[in-house]
Amino acid sequence: MCGITGWISFDRDGRDAPDPVDPGDPGPPSAVSAALDAMTETMACRGPDARGTWIEGPAALGHRRLAVIDLPGGRQPMTLTTDRGTLALVYSGETYNFTELRAELTARGHRFTTDSDTEVVLHAYQEWGEGMAARLNGMYAFAIWDGPRRTLVLVRDRMGIKPLYYAPTPDGVLFGSEPKAILAHPLARPRVRLDGLRELFAFVKTPGHAVWDGMYEVEPGTLVTVDASGVGHHRYWSLETRPHTDDRATAIARVRALLDDTVRRQLVADVPLCTLLSGGLDSSAMTAIAARRLAADGETVRSFAVDFVGRTEHFVADAFRATPDTPFVHDAVRAAGTVHQDIVLDSRTLADPAVRAHMIRARDLPMGFGDMDSSLYLLFKAIRERSTVALSGESADEVFGGYPQFFDEKARTTDMFPWLVRLGEHFGEDTGVLRPEIDTALGLPSFARDSYATAVAGIERAAGESDFEYRMRKICYLHLTRFVQILLDRKDRASMAVGLEVRVPYCDHRLVEYVYNTPWSLKSFDGREKSLLREATADLLPRSVYDREKSPYPSTQDPRYAVALQNQARELLADPTHRVFDLVDIARVRKAAERKTPQVTTAGRRGLERTLDLALWLDLYRPEITLS
C-alpha cells in the first residue's frame, strides 16, 4: 500500500527548471520539484518505507511506498520505455490476480525485471491500454502518465476501497491519494462551500464529491483521463442486475468457493500479516478461512481485537448492542487456533485531543465518529507495531444484508436512505448543535431526499421481480454503492495513517456481483441476517458465533470518557470567538457541557464529539467556509 500524488501542467511542460550555475551543481530545486516534494511528503504516513519523484515534460509524479510484496523491487514511480515513448506509473494498492496476468503478458512477449504487481499493471497498460482496468482483481488507485498520448490516466478499483482525488487546474490537474496532497500545492485553496458542509453532516456520501471546493473523488470503478483538451470519464464497472438461477445449496456452495478463493489471494504478502477479529460472523468466518489456508503451509494466523477497560465486566446492553465482543472473540480464537491479542483501550487515551487530531488529519475532515474513530486509529497503531497487513471483515453487512435496517419495516418502506431512517435513535443527531440559520441553509432533509432519488434512479429491476424483492434490491444497492463508501474511507484513512495495509475480502467484485443478484428470500432464507454467509461457513464457526446477532463496531460506555468530552467543551467555550461558533450554537454546546449526568451512549455524546471535531479541524486546516 502506498500514497500517490502528482501535477500535470500542459502549459509548463518542464520549462521552469532553472539552469544550474555550473555543470556539477544542480542548483536550487525548481518550483515544480518543490511543489511536488511538498505534495509527496503529505503521503509519508501511507508510505513510510521509501519515496520517489519523477518529472518529465508536463508530468510530475510523486510516490510514498509501504513495501508489502517484492520488498527489494517495486520502487516507484516506475517507468517503461516503449518505441513510442515513456509510460510512468504511481500505484497504490494490491492486484490479487497479478500472477495470472503476469503469465499472460509473458506469453505475449513482455519481460519483467521485478516480482511486483506494480510492474504487471504497467505492462498491462502497455498491452491493453485503458482496457486493462477491467482485467484487474484487487484494491487499487493509480495514475499512469502516457507520454506518447500526452495523457494522464487515473484508475480506481471497483468498490472504491482505495481513495483517489483530483482537482482540475487551468492547464491540467492536481491529484493525490488524499485531499491533503492536493491542498499542499500552491494552486489549491482550502475552501468548503455549502454543498461541502452538506456532505459533512448528511451521512450520504455523494459519489465523486470531495467536500473541498474544486476537488473531486475518482468514483469507484471509474477511469479518468486528463489531456490538453480537458477531463474525461469512463466507468469500466458498475453494479448490474443479472439473472440468478441457482438454488439454495448451489448458492451456498458458490459463496463458500468465492470466499475461499478471495481470502487465499489476499493472504499473499512478504511482510507480517494478521486478521481483525470482532467475534461477529464476518470476521470470524474470514479468520477461520485464513487459518485453515495458512495451516496447510505450516503457518498460524495472528488476530487482534479491540476492547475497552472494564467493558466486558460492566457491559450494559442497549437496542443496538446486545452483547460485548470479547467472549465471542475468544470463542472464535479457540476454534480457529489463532495467535491472538486483545488491544485494550482506556477512556483517557480515547478522549485525548491529540488522538482526535491524528484522526482528523488522517481523514482531512471532521466526520464526528468520536470514540469509534479514535479507537480504530489506536487499534491500528497498536497492530502496526506487530504487523504490516491486516484482513478485515468490512463490507460483509452490505454484501449479505446484515444491518437492522434490512429488516426494519419503516426503513424498507420509506423513500430514504435506509440507514438514515433511525440514525438519530442509534447514533444521535449531531445536527442538533448547529446554529439555526446554518441548519436552515443546509436544508439536509431535502438534500437527502434528492440524493436518494438520484441514487435509485438507475437501478434495473430483474425480470419477474416482485415489488418486495425490487424494494430489497434497492436497499442492497444503496448499501453497496453509498453506505459502504463511508466505512471503507474511514478504514483506509485510519489504517494508512499508521502505515497499516487493511485488505477487505468481502469487497471482491465477483462475490459482490453474485450475492447482489441473489433474491432477498435467499439472502435471508432462515429469517435472519446474512443467512448465505452463515451457512457457507457453518463448518468453521463455534456455535456461539453462529448464533450471535449482529453487533456493530464497539463504543465505550465509560462515563469518564463523557466527562472528558465535557471538560474539553468547557475549555472551548472559554473562547466564544472561536470560529466553530460560527457553525454551532454556543448555547446548545454549553448546555451539553454542563449536563449533570454525563451521556455514556454514542447517541448522547454525538453533539459534543462533532463540535470538538469541527473546532480541531478549523484550527488544523484553517479552511475558508463559504455559505453559497
Side-chain angles (χ1 to χ4, degrees):
M1 202 65 63
C2 307
I4 67 172
T5 191
W7 174 21
I8 307 300
S9 173
F10 291 101
D11 290 347
R12 180 190 72 236
D13 205 6
R15 286 189 296 272
D16 76 333
D19 294 329
V21 176
D22 64 71
D25 180 5
S30 69
V32 178
S33 296
L36 181 62
D37 285 346
M39 297 169 74
T40 303
E41 287 315 297
T42 66
M43 299 288 95
C45 59
R46 297 184 72 92
D49 296 329
R51 73 177 299 278
T53 58
W54 180 85
I55 301 174
E56 183 176 289
L61 308 180
H63 186 266
R64 293 289 314 210
R65 186 185 186 206
L66 174 64
V68 172
I69 293 175
D70 187 15
L71 306 191
R75 293 186 179 277
Q76 300 182 50
M78 184 175 287
T79 60
L80 179 63
T81 302
T82 74
D83 55 5
R84 297 176 55 244
T86 300
L87 304 176
L89 168 69
V90 282
Y91 171 86
S92 171
E94 305 290 346
T95 298
Y96 301 125
N97 64 332
F98 80 97
T99 55
E100 295 97 319
L101 290 174
R102 180 188 177 103
E104 184 176 356
L105 289 164
T106 298
R108 289 172 174 263
H110 291 258
R111 296 294 176 262
F112 296 90
T113 60
T114 75
D115 294 324
S116 70
D117 58 340
T118 304
E119 188 180 16
V120 172
V121 171
L122 187 55
H123 279 264
Y125 179 81
Q126 182 192 20
E127 181 68 29
W128 296 301
E130 295 171 9
M132 59 88 193
R135 295 173 173 265
L136 305 180
N137 177 315
M139 58 175 191
Y140 46 80
F142 58 88
I144 295 177
W145 171 249
D146 187 330
R149 295 172 56 204
R150 290 177 61 81
T151 299
L152 178 74
V153 181
L154 302 173
V155 182
R156 193 175 181 205
D157 66 68
R158 294 168 179 83
M159 292 296 291
I161 304 166
K162 305 314 298 178
L164 184 55
Y165 296 83
Y166 67 99
T169 65
D171 73 323
V173 73
L174 306 170
F175 70 88
S177 292
E178 299 177 10
K180 60 174 62 69
I182 296 172
L183 294 173
H185 193 282
L187 288 176
R189 293 180 63 183
R191 179 172 59 194
V192 176
R193 295 187 182 273
L194 194 61
D195 63 335
L197 290 177
R198 290 191 182 102
E199 292 292 324
L200 281 180
F201 286 96
F203 209 58
V204 166
K205 184 68 172 168
T206 303
H209 205 294
V211 178
W212 297 98
D213 186 42
M215 193 183 302
Y216 304 91
E217 189 174 34
V218 177
E219 294 185 31
T222 298
L223 184 148
V224 173
T225 56
V226 183
D227 59 23
S229 66
V231 178
H233 302 80
H234 168 66
R235 185 174 294 279
Y236 69 89
W237 182 86
S238 59
L239 194 58
E240 298 177 348
T241 299
R242 298 173 183 170
H244 181 88
T245 58
D246 292 345
D247 61 16
R248 182 192 301 179
T250 304
I252 290 170
R254 177 62 175 157
V255 167
R256 177 59 177 271
L258 286 168
L259 284 174
D260 285 343
D261 182 66
T262 190
V263 171
R264 174 186 63 80
R265 291 176 181 274
Q266 297 192 27
L267 287 173
V268 176
D270 295 332
V271 292
L273 179 146
C274 68
T275 67
L276 307 178
L277 186 56
S278 70
L281 172 61
D282 318 333
S283 65
S284 298
M286 176 198 69
T287 296
I289 292 172
R292 179 172 292 187
R293 173 67 187 179
L294 290 182
D297 297 327
E299 300 178 43
T300 303
V301 169
R302 297 198 67 180
S303 60
F304 294 89
V306 67
D307 198 4
F308 305 102
V309 173
R311 176 179 170 84
T312 301
E313 296 83 357
H314 307 294
F315 179 80
V316 178
D318 57 32
F320 213 42
R321 296 178 176 88
T323 53
D325 287 345
T326 301
F328 299 92
V329 167
H330 294 171
D331 286 349
V333 166
R334 284 188 288 270
T338 73
V339 176
H340 181 76
Q341 183 172 350
D342 292 324
I343 306 299
V344 183
L345 307 175
D346 61 79
S347 58
R348 179 184 60 81
T349 308
L350 282 173
D352 187 347
V355 173
R356 188 183 298 274
H358 276 302
M359 197 59 191
I360 290 172
R361 287 193 186 97
R363 302 188 74 168
D364 292 313
L365 294 170
M367 298 308 297
F369 278 52
D371 73 301
M372 290 188 290
D373 264 358
S374 298
S375 64
L376 191 66
Y377 170 81
L378 292 168
L379 170 66
F380 289 157
K381 183 180 179 182
I383 291 174
R384 184 60 178 88
E385 297 173 0
R386 304 158 176 87
S387 187
T388 309
V389 175
L391 269 63
S392 165
E394 193 77 87
S395 83
D397 287 307
E398 289 80 6
V399 174
F400 290 97
Y403 292 115
Q405 57 262 28
F406 282 93
F407 297 86
D408 185 329
E409 194 60 25
K410 183 178 179 181
R412 283 174 165 178
T413 56
T414 302
D415 288 334
M416 178 50 63
F417 294 104
W419 55 89
L420 294 183
V421 173
R422 299 190 188 276
L423 181 68
E425 298 175 25
H426 299 311
F427 291 106
E429 295 286 359
D430 57 352
T431 56
V433 298
L434 292 174
R435 292 169 65 100
E437 64 270 29
I438 300 296
D439 193 22
T440 299
L442 289 175
L444 293 179
S446 61
F447 171 70
R449 285 193 298 270
D450 291 344
S451 296
Y452 172 83
T454 300
V456 300
I459 303 174
E460 183 183 357
R461 186 170 187 164
E465 196 167 46
S466 69
D467 290 345
F468 174 73
E469 284 285 355
Y470 182 45
R471 186 77 190 184
M472 296 309 298
R473 178 181 293 278
K474 288 181 179 179
I475 291 176
C476 292
Y477 182 92
L478 292 171
H479 280 85
L480 288 167
T481 58
R482 296 296 186 98
F483 189 69
V484 76
Q485 289 296 301
I486 299 171
L487 302 185
L488 289 173
D489 184 72
R490 169 177 175 260
K491 185 147 287 182
D492 173 84
R493 301 303 186 83
S495 61
M496 295 310 295
V498 297
L500 177 70
E501 174 175 302
V502 174
R503 301 175 180 178
V504 279
Y506 291 107
C507 276
D508 184 287
H509 71 278
R510 300 166 301 163
L511 179 68
V512 171
E513 290 171 345
Y514 182 79
V515 179
Y516 171 67
N517 283 295
T518 59
W520 181 252
S521 59
L522 187 52
K523 288 187 180 76
S524 58
F525 64 78
D526 60 0
R528 299 186 60 188
E529 78 282 359
K530 296 181 284 195
S531 306
L532 279 176
L533 176 60
R534 182 176 291 102
E535 290 309 310
T537 57
D539 61 307
L540 302 171
L541 301 172
R543 191 69 200 188
S544 60
V545 173
Y546 179 91
D547 290 335
R548 190 187 186 195
E549 293 183 0
K550 163 68 183 174
S551 185
Y553 184 84
S555 177
T556 183
Q557 295 179 328
D558 191 336
R560 289 171 294 185
Y561 174 76
V563 170
L565 294 181
Q566 289 182 305
N567 291 337
Q568 292 169 29
R570 292 188 192 103
E571 293 175 9
L572 183 62
L573 288 163
D575 179 13
T577 65
H578 194 287
R579 288 183 65 199
V580 74
F581 296 118
D582 294 337
L583 297 173
V584 304
D585 190 315
I586 193 169
R588 294 178 180 179
V589 176
R590 183 175 289 113
K591 180 179 179 181
E594 300 301 332
R595 187 180 287 116
K596 297 300 182 182
T597 304
Q599 294 293 304
V600 299
T601 65
T602 304
R605 299 189 304 250
R606 194 158 186 234
L608 279 183
E609 289 177 321
R610 173 66 89 169
T611 299
L612 295 171
D613 273 7
L614 279 168
L616 269 173
W617 176 64
L618 291 168
D619 290 341
L620 292 169
Y621 286 79
R622 301 190 178 278
E624 174 189 345
I625 305 295
T626 304
L627 299 180
S628 61

